[in-house]
Amino acid sequence: MPWDRNQMAERAALELEDGFYVNLGIGIPTLVSNYVPEDYDITLQSENGMLGMGAFPTEEEIDPDLINAGKQTVTELERTSYFSSSQSFAMIRGGHINLSILGAMEVSETGDLANWMIPGRLVKGMGGAMDLVAGVQRIVVIMDHANKAGESKLLKKCSLPLTGQGVVDRVITNLGVFDIVEGGLRLVELAPEVTMDEVHEKTEAAIVI
Amino acid sequence: MPWDRNQMAERAALELEDGFYVNLGIGIPTLVSNYVPEDYDITLQSENGMLGMGAFPTEEEIDPDLINAGKQTVTELERTSYFSSSQSFAMIRGGHINLSILGAMEVSETGDLANWMIPGRLVKGMGGAMDLVAGVQRIVVIMDHANKAGESKLLKKCSLPLTGQGVVDRVITNLGVFDIVEGGLRLVELAPEVTMDEVHEKTEAAIVI
Amino acid sequence: MKKVYSAAKSALDGLLFDGMTIAAGGFGLCGIPENLIQSIKESGVKNLTIASNNAGVDGFGLGLLLQDMQVKKMISSYVGENDLFMQQYLAGDLEIEFNPQGTLAERLRAGGAGIPGFYTATGVGTKIAEGKELKEFDGKTYVLERGLKADLAIVKAWKGDEQGNLTYRKTAMNFNPECATAGTVTVAEVEELVPVGALDKMSIHTPGVYVQRIFEGKHEKRIEQRTTRAA
Amino acid sequence: MKKVYSAAKSALDGLLFDGMTIAAGGFGLCGIPENLIQSIKESGVKNLTIASNNAGVDGFGLGLLLQDMQVKKMISSYVGENDLFMQQYLAGDLEIEFNPQGTLAERLRAGGAGIPGFYTATGVGTKIAEGKELKEFDGKTYVLERGLKADLAIVKAWKGDEQGNLTYRKTAMNFNPECATAGTVTVAEVEELVPVGALDKMSIHTPGVYVQRIFEGKHEKRIEQRTTRAA
C-alpha cells in the first residue's frame, strides 16, 4: 500500500540526525516536524529570519511580528535567534543548514528539480526555493510519484522550468525512497506492498540497481 | 607663516558639515576632533566597528573591549552603535561615510594617494586605508607640503606604491589648501604670509588656476 | 541635522518623483512601512519600480499602490497574495522581475555595501541565470548578480532614536536592514521613537548613518495567515 | 548534540592538523580567542595559514604561535606590533598576504555566505589588484576578490549559550562574527556561558548554527594602547 501524506512525512523524519539544522518547505514537509524523535535536538530555520522556530501559537500568543516563511503565525523557543534576510540566506547559501525537505512538481534522474512555475499559468515566484536547493547541504524532496493524470513526476528530464540543476539528493514518494546517483534513481526503500514492477511502470526516469 | 600641525587640523575642521559621519586617520587627522564647531552634530566612525566614538577614557572608564582603529582605549556616547568588521566596511565601501581625513606620504596631481608602504622598508600593511579612500564620499589629506629632505610630496606621479588611484579630493598642507581638479592642483587657500611663488617652488605637481 | 519628522507625509517631502526606484522592507505584511506606503499612495507618484520581497495584499501594504496603477515594475521573489497585482500583471500593465529571495536580499546588501556584483550558485541552470554572466570557481559554476540600489528606501523598525538608530523586533526585521543600506535616502517609521541612548547599543541593527529621516507612526500590523493551536 | 566543552584543549580535540587554515577573530588584542590560541600553541601544530586582521604582539595573542614557528602564512591587513613577526618575515620564514581590512572582512563573510567572489573598488590601481581580474560596472573599475573559508575558525564572544548562540560586547565584536561563519568548524570561547534562553534574542550576533563547540574561559584582555584623559 503506498504511503499517505503523513506516512511520507514520517518516513522523511528518518532523514533527520540529532543536532541538525533543518529548513522545511510548505505542505507535506511541514508535517515532518510531527515525527521528530523526542531525544533529538533539531533546530528549524525559517528563511524569513529565524532559527529555532516553535509551534503555532495559542490565540493569546499570537504576535504579528512573529511569522514563518509561509507567513503563518508561529512561536519562539528558548534557543531562538532572529536575523535579517541577507543573514538568513548567507546561512542557507553558505551551506550551514544540514537538510532541507521540500515539495516538487518534477524531479529528473540527474537531480534537477522543478517546483516554481508552470508556463502558461500564473507565476507567483520562487521565494527562497532556489537559494535553498542551491545552498543547503542535503536536499530531500517529498512528492507524489505521479501527477493527477497518472504521469510520472520522476522524469528523464524535467519538462517545467527548473528551480535548481542537479540539486536533489533523495526523493520520497508515496511509492518509496529513491536516491539520485550516477545514471539515474537508485531504489532505497519501497512502501509496504509496493512492488518493483509498479515502480518501473510508474517511473519515467532511469532506475539503477 | 606656514601652518603648524594644530593649525592644519583647525583648517581641516572647516571641511566638516553639520550632521556629517566622519572617519579620521591617525596622527594629525585625530586632532581635527578638537576643532569641531560646538553647534555641529558630528559622528565619528571607527572602522573596527563603532559609530559615535567618544573621547579617551579616564583611568576609571578604561574598557579593554572598547578601542578605536588605532587600538587606543576610547569611550562610547549616547548615540554609539557597534557592529562587525564586514558591516563597518559595508558602511565605508558603500559610500555612507561623508568624509575621511587622513595623512599621506605622497599625493599626485591626479588624486593618487600613497601612504602604506615604502619599498625596501618594513611593510606593516594598509589596514583600512585602501577601503576608506576607495569608499568614503570625500577624501581630504593632511600632510606636510614637503618631506624632511625638502622634496615636494605633491607630485606629478606618486613614486611610492599607491593606496588608491584618483581618490583624493582636497589636500591641506602646511602651505595651503589644494583641490584635485582636471589638469592638476587648484589653489583654494594659502596659509598666512605664504606666497604663490613659494608654493610653485615647493610643488612638483602641476598647479592650475 | 534634525532627522525626526512628525509623520510619513512630511518625512517624504521632496523625496518622491515619477519613475523612481524604491526599496521597501517587509516580508508579506510583517514589518512593512505601513504609513510610508499609505503616504506614497496619497502622493500620486507614478511609474515606480519597487524592490520588495512581496507585493502586499489587496488593499493593504504595497497592494495600495496598485489601486491607482502607481507601480510600473516589481522586483520580488513571491507575489501570490494579491488579485489586483495579478490582473495588472496579466494585462501587461505591471512588469515583474523575479529574484530568488536570497539573491534579492544579497543584491540589496551589496548595493548598500559598495559591491556592484557578486557570484552565487542560486539559479544556475534556471531561467534566472539566462543572459547573465556565468563563471567557474573551483570547478563549480556561479552566476553574476548585481548590487541593487534605490533612490529611496522605506523601512519599518520597532524602536528608533533621533540619531536614526533602529532596532527591529523578531521576524519583522526581515528585509528592513538591507533596504535601509540600499537607499540613496532612507526613511524609517518606528513604533516608538526613544531618546538617544535608550536603545541597547549591542542590538542596534541599523546604525543611524543609514537613516536620513525618521518618524513615529501607528501600525495596524495585519496578520496574513493567522494559524493557531489549541491552548 | 552537546556543543559545550570544559576548556580550550578538549574543544580543539581532533580538529588540528599541520598545514591547516585558521580564521581567528579579534582586532589587535581586542576580542581575541586567548585560550584557543594558547591551546593551539601547546598542541604544536605546524605550517598554519592564519587569516586574522593582525598578528598579536610579542608573547601574547597570535604572537604566541610565532615562538615555535607554527605559522607559515598570515592573511592580514596590518601586522606592525610584533618584533618576532617581523624577524621571521624578513628572514623569509613567514609569508604574508596583505588584504585591505574591509576586503578581508568581506572575504570571510563571503566565504561563510557561499559567495565565491565579489567585486570591490578597494585596491583598484594598486599592488593589491595586480594579477586579479578587473571588471567595469557602470563605467567604474572593480577588482574581483575571492570568498575565504577556513578549516577552523576560532572566535571569542562575551556571552554564549549551550546552543552556540553568541553575543559580543562593544568593539570586541570586530572580525569574530565573520570568522564564525567562515569556519568549516567553529570553536567559540566566551567569558560567560549562560543557559539557553538567557541571551537577548535580538542581540544574538552569531546564531548557534555557526558554532560547533563552545567553552567558558578566563580572559586577560590585555590593552595594547592605554590612552586616557584627565578625570
Side-chain angles (χ1 to χ4, degrees), chain B residues 151-179:
Chain B
E151 297 158 344
S152 177
K153 294 171 72 173
L154 285 162
L155 302 170
K156 293 206 168 305
K157 196 168 178 313
C158 291
S159 67
L160 298 171
L162 299 186
T163 304
Q165 194 174 50
V167 294
V168 178
D169 295 292
R170 175 168 282 191
V171 184
I172 298 172
T173 76
N174 49 325
L175 299 187
V177 180
F178 306 86
D179 277 353

Side-chain angles (χ1 to χ4, degrees), chain D residues 91-148:
Chain D
D93 293 330
L94 182 56
E95 188 189 340
I96 175 147
E97 177 188 322
F98 282 117
N99 279 194
Q101 192 174 335
T103 295
L104 178 58
E106 190 68 16
R107 289 186 67 197
L108 290 163
R109 180 196 177 273
I115 293 172
F118 61 91
Y119 290 94
T120 173
T122 300
V124 170
T126 77
K127 278 184 182 301
I128 292 306
E130 282 172 15
K132 293 177 184 164
E133 188 181 317
L134 300 176
K135 194 174 173 73
E136 220 174 87
F137 292 91
D138 304 326
K140 192 175 166 183
T141 304
Y142 296 82
V143 58
L144 177 63
E145 294 282 1
R146 296 294 309 273
L148 182 59

Side-chain angles (χ1 to χ4, degrees), chain C residues 68-87:
Chain C
D68 301 318
M69 307 269 281
Q70 292 174 271
V71 183
K72 182 183 68 180
K73 178 181 174 180
M74 290 295 304
I75 304 173
S76 304
S77 86
Y78 193 84
V79 296
E81 266 81 48
N82 197 323
D83 289 339
L84 192 53
F85 185 99
M86 285 303 172
Q87 286 169 29

Side-chain angles (χ1 to χ4, degrees), chain A residues 79-95:
Chain A
R79 73 180 57 186
T80 301
S81 57
Y82 298 101
F83 31 82
S84 75
S85 295
S86 69
Q87 285 180 285
S88 181
F89 283 92
M91 206 175 275
I92 289 168
R93 201 189 303 104

